[in-house]
């Protein structure tokens, strides 16, 4: 039989278990006939399918009929799995994997298909098996297609809590992607664009559950890019409403679209949604005048929204445009804070030739009130300061609709 195997008439094995342990290499348990081996650095199950086992601490157990139990690392084609209590089934030529702690894999590079790149987002907590090849093809004499094949039999998970992703803000018990059972064929030579994992994102309440497959992104993480429904998604349990583009990757959960909060509308290509807050740099920022808020607008400015504190701070960029308030009657250098009860500001407000500086402006639809401020009046004729005063109260009503001032007290 051996000579026939060597002459390619019969299947044969390439499995060699070599111990490098000092002292006892193996122990035979007479009650079970199991052989416990030590010092096995690695062993090959299939060189043609590139399946290699690296036992943890070099330990493994050989059972009846050459089944092998081990924990450690499996290299299968472009996949690397860290496993506990795995079993190689000799007759089935299969690896049973009741506990895959994590799984990494490589893909061909987008700009150079001849090279490979690791995907930075591992899969966690898998259960499944790897069919190495057909049971009668241990030696790889037959040119079989699709092998090795990994089959996931239970939900597994992807997390985004790395420290280099906003200091680990996407904690895994609240923000995670659930991958439903899947199959990966040809773990050695699959196409990057064809690899996807079905499932759904649980985003710590930022948005409702999002059902969209994970794919390899340009930064070599797992994620997706979607467009919201036309009406958008409620954000943070309905504190706001967001619509247009959402993308998930190792850059975080990001948006390029329109956010509505209270009477404010923000359009931005640079939104970052985190479990407790949202940050953005807007292209346009606009607060519509209503019974609570005055009209406030700007173009490029920064927003930091704390939805569960019902507060949004909007800050002027360095050397950026000023806020226009009260239908362009007032210009603010500083920042604005929006809350359900109303708006306030801090900085310097210019109205005609006068500038009022204050640590706190209360802004209502037709009134701006500052309890402590510095007031400076400039002379257009002399192009200089005509009057200045400090530590005074200021009350600036908005102009009436016909252009007349309703009154002013300083």
């Amino acid at each position: 039989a051996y000579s026939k195997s060597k002459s390619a008439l019969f299947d044969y094995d390439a499995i060699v278990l070599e111990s490098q342990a000092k002292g006892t290499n193996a122990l035979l348990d007479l009650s079970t006939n199991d052989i416990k081996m030590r010092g096995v650095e690695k062993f090959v199950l299939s060189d043609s399918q590139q399946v290699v086992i690296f036992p943890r601490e070099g330990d493994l157990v050989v059972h009846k009929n050459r089944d092998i139990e081990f924990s450690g690392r499996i290299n299968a084609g472009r996949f690397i799995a860290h496993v506990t209590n795995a079993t190689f089934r000799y007759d089935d030529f299969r690896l049973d994997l009741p506990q895959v702690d994590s799984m990494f894999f490589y893909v061909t590079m987008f700009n150079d298909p001849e090279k490979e790149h690791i995907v930075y987002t591992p899969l966690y907590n898998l259960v499944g098996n790897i069919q190495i090849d057909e049971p009668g093809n241990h030696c790889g004499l037959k040119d079989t297609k699709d092998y090795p094949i990994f089959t996931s039999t239970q939900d597994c998970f992807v997390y985004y809590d790395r420290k280099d992703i906003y200091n680990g803000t996407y904690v895994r018990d609240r923000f995670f992607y659930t991958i439903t059972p899947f199959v990966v064929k040809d773990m050695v030579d699959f196409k990057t664009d064809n690899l996807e994992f079905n499932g759904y994102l649980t985003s710590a309440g930022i948005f409702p559950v999002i059902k969209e497959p994970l794919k390899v992104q340009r930064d070599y993480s797992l994620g997706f890019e979607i467009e919201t429904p036309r009406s958008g998604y409620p954000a943070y349990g309905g504190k706001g409403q967001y619509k247009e583009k959402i993308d998930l990757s190792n850059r975080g959960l990001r948006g390029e679209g329109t956010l509505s909060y209270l009477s404010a509308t923000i359009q931005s290509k640079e939104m970052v949604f985190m479990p407790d807050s949202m940050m953005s740099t807007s292209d346009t920022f606009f607060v519509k005048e209503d019974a609570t808020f005055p009209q406030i607008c700007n173009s490029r400015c920064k927003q930091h929204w704390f939805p569960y504190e019902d507060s949004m701070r909007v800050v002027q960029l360095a050397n950026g445009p000023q806020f226009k308030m009260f239908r362009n009657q007032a210009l603010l250098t500083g920042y604005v804070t929006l809350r359900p009860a109303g708006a306030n500001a801090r900085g310097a407000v210019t109205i005609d030739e006068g500038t009022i500086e204050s640590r706190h402006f209360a802004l209502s639809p037709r009134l701006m009130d500052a309890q402590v401020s510095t007031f400076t009046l400039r002379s257009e004729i002399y192009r200089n300061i005509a009057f200045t005063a400090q530590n005074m109260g200021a009350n600036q009503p908005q102009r009436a609709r016909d252009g007349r001032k309703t009154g002013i007290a300083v």
Side-chain angles (χ1 to χ4, degrees):
Y2 176 78
S3 61
K4 290 181 179 179
S5 295
K6 295 298 286 182
S7 62
L9 296 177
F10 286 93
D11 192 24
Y12 61 92
D13 295 305
I15 303 172
V16 176
L17 301 178
E18 182 178 353
S19 172
Q20 301 292 333
K22 295 180 180 179
T24 303
N25 301 101
L27 291 172
L28 174 63
D29 188 332
L30 296 177
S31 63
T32 61
N33 288 327
D34 292 341
I35 300 175
K36 296 181 180 179
M37 296 190 65
R38 298 172 55 247
V40 180
E41 181 181 335
K42 68 177 182 178
F43 61 96
V44 178
L45 293 179
S46 173
D47 49 9
S48 61
Q49 302 296 3
Q50 302 178 26
V51 179
V52 184
I53 310 300
F54 298 82
R56 187 178 302 155
E57 298 181 358
D59 296 338
L60 58 85
V61 179
V62 181
H63 294 293
K64 180 181 178 181
N65 197 32
R66 292 160 288 186
D67 289 353
I68 303 173
E69 184 179 346
F70 64 95
S71 298
R73 190 179 91 223
I74 300 171
N75 286 17
R78 294 198 212 139
F79 284 75
I80 301 171
H82 295 273
V83 302
T84 301
N85 298 328
T87 302
F88 168 60
R89 304 292 182 187
Y90 178 85
D91 283 345
D92 298 323
F93 207 39
R94 185 184 70 237
L95 285 160
D96 287 345
L97 311 174
Q99 182 179 335
V100 181
D101 303 306
S102 61
M103 178 178 282
F104 296 80
F105 58 94
Y106 288 77
V107 295
T108 54
M109 295 183 67
F110 290 108
N111 58 355
D112 189 351
E114 298 301 316
K115 296 181 180 179
E116 295 180 357
H117 196 293
I118 193 168
V119 174
Y120 296 120
T121 316
L123 281 54
Y124 290 96
N125 304 331
L126 300 93
V127 176
N129 61 75
I130 297 175
Q131 186 65 50
I132 300 169
D133 207 321
E134 293 180 356
N137 196 35
H138 286 216
C139 62
L141 291 175
K142 290 173 58 179
D143 185 15
T144 54
K145 293 183 179 180
D146 296 335
Y147 295 99
I149 301 171
F150 176 78
T151 301
S152 163
T153 57
Q154 295 184 19
D155 290 351
C156 62
F157 303 93
V158 167
Y159 304 113
Y160 296 86
D161 57 351
R162 290 168 42 146
K163 286 295 183 182
D164 59 347
I165 307 176
Y166 295 99
N167 200 31
T169 190
Y170 299 104
V171 291
R172 63 177 58 190
D173 60 336
R174 299 178 58 218
F175 190 103
F176 55 90
Y177 189 96
T178 302
I179 297 177
T180 53
F182 64 92
V183 175
V184 175
K185 295 181 179 180
D186 194 352
M187 301 170 73
V188 177
D189 189 24
F190 56 88
K191 292 184 178 179
T192 302
D193 293 338
N194 292 342
L195 185 66
E196 65 178 43
F197 302 98
N198 291 320
Y200 53 92
L201 176 68
T202 301
S203 61
I206 299 172
F207 297 119
V209 169
I210 297 176
K211 295 183 178 180
E212 182 71 16
L214 288 183
K215 297 182 179 180
V216 179
Q217 303 299 298
R218 303 300 295 189
D219 66 350
Y220 295 99
S221 67
L222 288 177
F224 57 69
E225 294 185 8
I226 64 166
E227 291 283 337
T228 69
R230 182 173 295 182
S231 59
Y233 285 142
Y236 299 98
K239 296 284 187 178
Q241 190 77 7
Y242 174 78
K243 60 183 179 180
E244 295 167 41
K245 181 181 175 181
I246 297 174
D247 75 75
L248 173 68
S249 69
N250 272 6
R251 297 172 64 240
L253 186 65
R254 306 176 75 91
E256 181 180 334
T258 303
L259 175 74
S260 300
Y261 170 64
L262 300 174
S263 295
T265 301
I266 300 159
Q267 292 181 322
S268 173
K269 298 182 182 68
E270 306 173 42
M271 293 184 180
V272 180
F273 295 95
M274 294 177 284
D276 63 346
S277 65
M278 185 280 298
M279 296 187 300
S280 65
T281 300
S282 63
D283 297 308
T284 61
F285 169 77
F286 182 77
V287 178
K288 182 180 180 181
E289 181 182 341
D290 59 17
T292 305
F293 297 94
Q295 185 187 89
I296 307 170
C297 61
N298 205 330
S299 52
R300 295 282 291 176
C301 54
K302 285 186 176 293
Q303 295 78 34
H304 201 170
W305 179 31
F306 297 92
Y308 301 117
E309 298 176 15
D310 277 321
S311 174
M312 177 183 285
R313 177 168 289 188
V314 188
V315 182
Q316 179 186 4
L317 294 176
N319 301 316
Q322 297 169 294
F323 293 92
K324 297 177 181 179
M325 306 191 300
F326 300 108
R327 305 176 192 174
N328 300 339
Q329 294 179 45
L331 297 176
L332 168 69
T333 301
Y335 67 79
V336 174
T337 302
L338 305 179
R339 295 186 177 90
N344 59 67
R346 177 174 177 171
V349 174
T350 299
I351 304 167
D352 296 330
E353 289 80 31
T355 298
I356 305 170
E357 297 180 42
S358 177
R359 296 173 62 88
H360 182 83
F361 293 97
L363 307 176
S364 59
R366 299 181 63 80
L367 186 69
M368 179 182 70
D369 183 74
Q371 294 301 318
V372 178
S373 62
T374 298
F375 175 69
T376 302
L377 182 65
R378 290 175 175 77
S379 169
E380 200 171 289
I381 298 174
Y382 297 105
R383 296 182 181 180
N384 208 336
I385 296 175
F387 174 80
T388 184
Q390 295 183 342
N391 297 327
M392 58 187 297
N395 180 287
Q396 172 62 54
Q398 181 194 3
R399 292 180 187 271
R401 293 185 182 277
D402 61 3
R404 293 178 294 106
K405 287 187 177 180
T406 59
I408 180 168
V410 177

